[in-house]
Amino acid sequence: MKNRYLTAGPITPLLISELMTLGNDDAGAGAVSVFIGKVRDDETDSGRVKAIEYSAYEEMVSGEAEEIVRIVRAAFSDVRSVIIVHSVGIVRSGEASLFIMITSGHRDHGTRACRHTLEMVKEKLPVWKKEIY
Amino acid sequence: MKNRYLTAGPITPLLISELMTLGNDDAGAGAVSVFIGKVRDDETDSGRVKAIEYSAYEEMVSGEAEEIVRIVRAAFSDVRSVIIVHSVGIVRSGEASLFIMITSGHRDHGTRACRHTLEMVKEKLPVWKKEIY
Amino acid sequence: MGVEVRILYFGAAQEAAGKSEELLTADNTTTLRTAILEKYPALAGIPFRMALNRNLLKGDSLLAENDIIAILPPFQGG
Amino acid sequence: MGVEVRILYFGAAQEAAGKSEELLTADNTTTLRTAILEKYPALAGIPFRMALNRNLLKGDSLLAENDIIAILPPFQGG
């Protein structure tokens, strides 16, 4: 996928491990805050969720994600790096569909920036889902 | 180390990967919130920090950590699991010394519980550090 | 009158329109919105926003040849 | 008078006492604290708390044979 903010299919444990090595060479980063969103096997009126198929307006995702990163960096000056990856395509229940990682000098800005990034991803990223039962 | 809340030396990327697979089989967990504390190479009056040597009152750590887990679970009912691991011994700058992971049904309790656990770890765990320059 | 623009349908709007894209003619985004709602009544149930050339629309905008309009149901990422 | 208890020194208190543990005799935690401060003047600069048998002390407590008292400088984990 040509878009650094999107990945085809689930965000696998292997991909998570790889993403988490980013910034490992920054010895000024004392705090790493990570949020991973996963597909739940919710029981609904239509049955138990087996998977979610995500779609995105890929050409718009980059601009919006870059705007989120800009806002986070401006609001939390101690932040050193921001990683956002969202799945497109089918992600089964139990698998991850969203990865956010913030590295920061100290914990305060990092944990707050992580939560803020998460809220903005939900609000700003042009992504849609369709449950598969 | 006989204490599940402590590990000898740094919390390596491999250990982090292993810890993060815990709870992977819980398809009801829609949110995974992780905080990793790392040793910074701070420049101080005594020179640049090369490493930190952590010591702990190991026999007391278990009881305090279990108390933290109890408090977090009571305060955030949506939390499904709480993992806390702290280093003892030498951790070099750039390496991790603290790992916290919360799995929860949804993001709200998870991200708040992660931050709350972090604050309680700092307040309650009998751990001390000594900078090495 | 009006210019030909490309319309992209996403998420539930894609299902309501029965297609992912098409070409339509309009002179501004307000008349375009009305035309789309008339063409696809099922879209009335979706509180969609529109993007013009990848930027979320705020208010009305005139259209130019080759503009790309996206029909965006509420986002559901995360 | 008093009973023999085991004292554990941690962090900066270990450096101030020059040892990690020892046996001392006292009848309650308040007199023990005073005795320790008299024995190791360097401890006066450390706002230490005490744990009795792995539980943080709140207030004073009588001591029993084989009790374990830990001298705890401010925690620095994380």
Side-chain angles (χ1 to χ4, degrees):
Chain A
M1 191 150 297
K2 53 204 170 296
N3 189 316
R4 63 188 290 206
Y5 300 103
L6 296 173
T7 190
I11 301 174
T12 63
L14 180 63
L15 178 54
I16 290 172
S17 291
E18 287 172 8
L19 290 168
M20 288 183 69
T21 64
L22 299 173
N24 262 4
D25 55 344
D26 176 11
V32 181
S33 303
V34 175
F35 179 85
I36 297 168
K38 294 168 69 181
V39 173
R40 282 189 313 275
D41 61 350
D42 282 346
E43 189 65 52
T44 73
D45 291 346
S46 311
R48 187 171 286 278
V49 174
K50 282 209 179 61
I52 289 180
E53 183 171 7
Y54 290 95
S55 59
Y57 184 5
E58 298 189 14
E59 294 79 3
M60 189 176 160
V61 162
S62 300
E64 294 297 309
E66 279 156 18
E67 172 72 2
I68 291 172
V69 173
R70 261 194 305 274
I71 292 171
V72 169
R73 284 182 170 278
F76 302 101
S77 58
D78 191 37
V79 164
R80 302 171 78 94
S81 70
V82 180
I83 305 282
I84 301 169
V85 180
H86 201 294
S87 290
V88 290
I90 290 178
V91 180
R92 287 178 297 183
S93 66
E95 294 181 327
S97 56
L98 171 63
F99 177 89
I100 293 170
M101 181 172 80
I102 309 281
T103 66
S104 54
H106 305 77
R107 71 188 185 284
D108 185 50
H109 274 204
T111 56
R112 287 162 58 199
C114 187
R115 175 64 191 252
H116 196 58
T117 302
L118 171 55
E119 298 305 325
M120 283 197 290
V121 161
K122 291 191 163 267
E123 187 186 313
K124 288 178 174 292
L125 272 205
V127 173
W128 298 272
K129 63 182 182 180
K130 192 175 157 184
E131 281 81 3
I132 298 170
Y133 304 98
Chain B
M1 193 151 294
K2 54 206 169 292
N3 189 317
R4 63 187 291 206
Y5 300 104
L6 295 173
T7 191
I11 300 175
T12 62
L14 180 63
L15 177 55
I16 290 172
S17 293
E18 287 172 7
L19 291 169
M20 288 183 69
T21 65
L22 299 173
N24 261 4
D25 54 346
D26 176 12
V32 181
S33 302
V34 175
F35 179 86
I36 297 167
K38 295 168 70 182
V39 173
R40 282 189 312 276
D41 63 348
D42 283 346
E43 188 67 50
T44 73
D45 291 346
S46 311
R48 187 170 286 277
V49 174
K50 282 209 178 61
I52 289 181
E53 183 171 7
Y54 290 96
S55 59
Y57 183 5
E58 298 189 15
E59 294 80 2
M60 188 175 160
V61 162
S62 299
E64 294 298 308
E66 279 156 20
E67 172 72 2
I68 291 171
V69 173
R70 261 194 304 275
I71 292 171
V72 169
R73 283 182 170 278
F76 302 101
S77 57
D78 191 37
V79 164
R80 302 170 78 94
S81 71
V82 180
I83 305 281
I84 301 169
V85 180
H86 201 293
S87 291
V88 289
I90 290 178
V91 180
R92 287 177 298 183
S93 66
E95 293 181 327
S97 57
L98 171 63
F99 177 89
I100 293 170
M101 180 172 79
I102 309 281
T103 66
S104 55
H106 305 77
R107 71 189 186 283
D108 184 50
H109 275 204
T111 56
R112 287 162 58 199
C114 187
R115 176 62 191 254
H116 197 57
T117 302
L118 171 56
E119 297 305 324
M120 284 196 292
V121 161
K122 291 192 162 267
E123 186 187 313
K124 287 178 174 293
L125 271 204
V127 173
W128 298 272
K129 63 182 183 180
K130 192 175 157 183
E131 280 82 3
I132 297 169
Y133 303 98
Chain C
M1 291 150 335
V3 296
E4 194 176 63
V5 296
R6 194 163 153 217
I7 318 292
L8 309 177
Y9 298 94
F10 289 98
Q14 198 169 99
E15 291 172 44
K19 64 189 63 165
S20 61
E21 59 177 283
E22 68 183 325
L23 298 175
L24 290 178
T25 301
D27 53 6
N28 67 57
T29 54
T30 301
T31 56
L32 176 64
R33 188 181 183 99
T34 304
I36 290 173
L37 281 167
E38 276 171 15
K39 190 169 179 186
Y40 305 110
L43 271 174
I46 300 171
F48 67 85
R49 293 182 290 176
M50 296 162 84
L52 170 58
N53 299 329
R54 305 178 191 179
N55 294 305
L56 216 50
L57 258 185
K58 285 156 187 151
D60 187 30
S61 176
L62 286 176
L63 292 169
E65 203 76 40
N66 297 320
D67 275 350
I68 299 174
I69 292 285
I71 306 302
L72 310 172
F75 301 158
Q76 301 172 302
Chain D
M1 290 146 339
V3 295
E4 194 177 63
V5 296
R6 197 165 151 215
I7 318 292
L8 308 178
Y9 298 94
F10 289 97
Q14 196 170 102
E15 292 173 42
K19 63 187 64 164
S20 62
E21 59 177 281
E22 69 183 324
L23 299 174
L24 290 178
T25 300
D27 53 6
N28 67 57
T29 54
T30 301
T31 56
L32 177 64
R33 189 181 181 98
T34 305
I36 290 173
L37 281 166
E38 276 171 14
K39 191 168 179 187
Y40 306 110
L43 271 174
I46 300 170
F48 66 86
R49 292 181 292 175
M50 296 162 82
L52 170 58
N53 300 329
R54 305 179 190 179
N55 294 304
L56 216 51
L57 258 186
K58 284 156 187 151
D60 188 28
S61 177
L62 286 175
L63 292 169
E65 203 76 39
N66 296 320
D67 274 351
I68 300 175
I69 292 285
I71 306 301
L72 310 172
F75 301 158
Q76 300 172 303

